[in-house]
Amino acid sequence: MSDPVEHYVAELAAALRGPARAKSRMLDEIRDGLTETIAAHSDHGVPHDHAVARALREFGTVDELVPSCQQELTVAQTRHAAATLVGVVGSLLACGHVAWTVGGWQLPAAAQLLVDIAALAAELSAAALAATGVLTRWVPAPPGLPTLVGWASSTASVAMPCTAIALSTTSPLDTTWPSTGLTAAVAVAAHVVLAASARTCRECARLG
């Protein structure tokens, strides 16, 4: 027979979306809490099977627990996606600035527009980090913030490969190909990282 506690935790895990570490930590805390509650009932002479059933009733059904757990994970995923966006775009801009300065060339207009879009998305995400951090002690985070960060990350992730294409098609490759190639490679890698983070953030926003 399967362990009722593990079945409960597995069912809860299947219903939740969020950062792997935060989700794993949350599930471990719930598992530990159930185990401690079962032990407390058993110490008072309650038969094990009854102690398990009582502990599960006290914790509530999975459906009852999901909303509060998902809300916490959604905030965690929002912060994770926002931090990823700020870090990735910031690194890309820094690498690009060095490459353009060393190469002594101006960023093409099309690529500059895409970089500006990504930078704006990063600024929105930086604000989201502040709104979901210590400020929540006094001001609740806006309810639409996870959706905003998810779409901002998606926009930036699309801008990354488009920037690479713009660079490769409009730059004077005879003199700038090393820096252009490096920047384009970083942009494509940034797209992969941001796209996965954005997708999870949008899923969390839909779930609550």
Side-chain angles (χ1 to χ4, degrees):
M1 175 180 288
S2 62
D3 185 343
V5 171
E6 290 303 323
H7 177 76
Y8 181 92
V9 172
E11 188 177 349
L12 183 60
L16 298 173
R17 296 291 183 274
R21 288 186 179 180
K23 180 177 175 179
S24 178
R25 183 168 56 249
M26 175 182 289
L27 294 174
D28 286 343
E29 290 174 356
I30 292 172
R31 181 186 291 105
D32 292 343
L34 281 168
T35 300
E36 291 173 1
T37 302
I38 292 169
H41 289 316
S42 297
D43 289 344
H44 285 83
V46 178
H48 179 72
D49 290 347
H50 292 175
V52 171
R54 184 177 296 182
L56 292 175
R57 284 197 304 271
E58 290 174 1
F59 269 66
T61 67
V62 169
D63 289 341
E64 291 171 340
L65 204 58
V66 162
S68 60
C69 291
Q70 185 58 60
Q71 184 177 24
E72 183 178 338
L73 287 177
T74 297
V75 172
Q77 180 60 41
T78 300
R79 290 185 59 78
H80 175 77
T84 299
L85 177 55
V86 171
V88 167
V89 173
S91 299
L92 180 63
L93 291 177
C95 291
H97 178 72
V98 171
W100 306 327
T101 301
V102 172
W105 56 281
Q106 291 292 322
L107 189 65
Q112 182 63 60
L113 175 61
L114 293 167
V115 168
D116 289 343
I117 291 173
L120 176 60
E123 291 174 4
L124 289 173
S125 291
L129 279 174
T132 55
V134 295
L135 289 179
T136 55
R137 296 178 182 176
W138 304 281
V139 181
L145 195 59
T147 301
L148 177 62
V149 171
W151 283 111
S153 297
S154 295
T155 300
S157 73
V158 172
M160 296 298 97
C162 290
T163 301
I165 294 172
L167 285 171
S168 62
T169 57
T170 61
S171 301
L173 297 181
D174 56 332
T175 58
T176 65
W177 70 264
S179 56
T180 299
L182 175 62
T183 304
V186 173
V188 172
H191 162 73
V192 174
V193 173
L194 288 177
S197 177
R199 183 170 57 253
T200 303
C201 193
R202 294 198 308 272
E203 290 176 354
C204 288
R206 286 196 297 269
L207 292 173

